[in-house]
C-alpha cells in the first residue's frame, strides 16, 4: 500500500483507457482529493447540443475513483448520485473536484463538484465507496 496519491493516480491512469480516450487529465492529487479536467468535444454533445449527462457523470465518477483510491487501497463505487445544475457546451473546459467527506476502514463518502472555466457549477455528484481488499496495484492485503 502506498499513501503517495500521485503514484497511485499514475498507476491507475496507465490502465484507465476510458479517462485517456475522453481526454480526462489529472491536475492535482492529495490524500482523499483529486482535481481532474476535461474539454467538451463535439462527440460529447447530445441532441440538444449540450454535453451528454453520461459524459458529465463519467468525469465526476473518474475524479471520485482517483480520490477514493488515493491512499493506495483499491476501492470501487457502491453507489452514487448526480445533480445536473447547468449545461456544458462544446469547447468548455470542465474541472471535477473530488473531496473525501468520511472514510472508514471499508466504506467512504466523497463529494465531487464539476465546474466550468467560468467557475460556475455544472454538476454535483456524491459517491459511496467500498474497499475491496487489495491495493491499487492489485496486491492482496
Amino acid at each position: 500500500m502506498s499513501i503517495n496519491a500521485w503514484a497511485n493516480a499514475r498507476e491507475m491512469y496507465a490502465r484507465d483507457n476510458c479517462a485517456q480516450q475522453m481526454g480526462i487529465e489529472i491536475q492535482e492529487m492529495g490524500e482523499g482529493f483529486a482535481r481532474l479536467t476535461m474539454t467538451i468535444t463535439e462527440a460529447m454533445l447530445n441532441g440538444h447540443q449540450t454535453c451528454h449527462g453520461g459524459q458529465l457523470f463519467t468525469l465526476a465518477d473518474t475524479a471520485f475513483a482517483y480520490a477514493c483510491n488515493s491512499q493506495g487501497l483499491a476501492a470501487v463505487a457502491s453507489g452514487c448520485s448526480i445533480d445536473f445544475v447547468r449545461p456544458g457546451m462544446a469547447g468548455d473546459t470542465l474541472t471535477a473536484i473530488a473531496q473525501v467527506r468520511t472514510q472508514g476502514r471499508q466504506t467512504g463518502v466523497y463529494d465531487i463538484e464539476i465546474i466550468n472555466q467560468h467557475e460556475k457549477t455544472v454538476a454535483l455528484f456524491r459517491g459511496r465507496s467500498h474497499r475491496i481488499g487489495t491495493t491499487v496495484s492489485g496486491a492482496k492485503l
Side-chain angles (χ1 to χ4, degrees):
M1 175 183 75
S2 167
I3 56 171
N4 182 330
W6 270 108
N8 295 319
R10 282 191 291 274
E11 184 156 354
M12 285 180 56
Y13 194 81
R15 299 184 311 264
D16 193 341
N17 296 330
C18 181
Q20 292 175 34
Q21 289 298 310
M22 288 182 60
I24 295 173
E25 297 179 358
I26 304 166
Q27 300 298 317
E28 189 177 351
M29 287 298 306
E31 191 171 330
F33 176 85
R35 180 185 307 265
L36 281 62
T37 59
M38 176 184 83
T39 299
I40 300 172
T41 66
E42 294 287 329
M44 296 175 177
L45 301 180
N46 62 24
H48 298 294
Q49 294 301 289
T50 62
C51 188
H52 192 287
Q55 305 290 334
L56 297 174
F57 185 96
T58 300
L59 173 60
D61 187 48
T62 303
F64 167 47
Y66 284 85
C68 71
N69 283 275
S70 64
Q71 293 178 318
L73 299 172
V76 296
S78 63
C80 53
S81 63
I82 191 165
D83 292 299
F84 302 109
V85 177
R86 68 174 32 87
M89 310 304 284
D92 283 354
T93 298
L94 304 180
T95 301
I97 304 151
Q99 298 183 40
V100 64
R101 292 296 171 226
T102 183
Q103 179 61 64
R105 278 182 8 109
Q106 288 191 299
T107 62
V109 176
Y110 293 75
D111 286 332
I112 297 84
E113 179 181 20
I114 297 176
I115 59 173
N116 63 20
Q117 68 274 15
H118 306 294
E119 298 188 13
K120 300 287 187 184
T121 300
V122 174
L124 298 167
F125 176 107
R126 175 162 273 191
R128 295 174 304 286
S129 65
H130 180 79
R131 290 182 171 165
I132 59 173
T134 64
T135 66
V136 169
S137 64
K140 297 277 185 197
L141 293 177

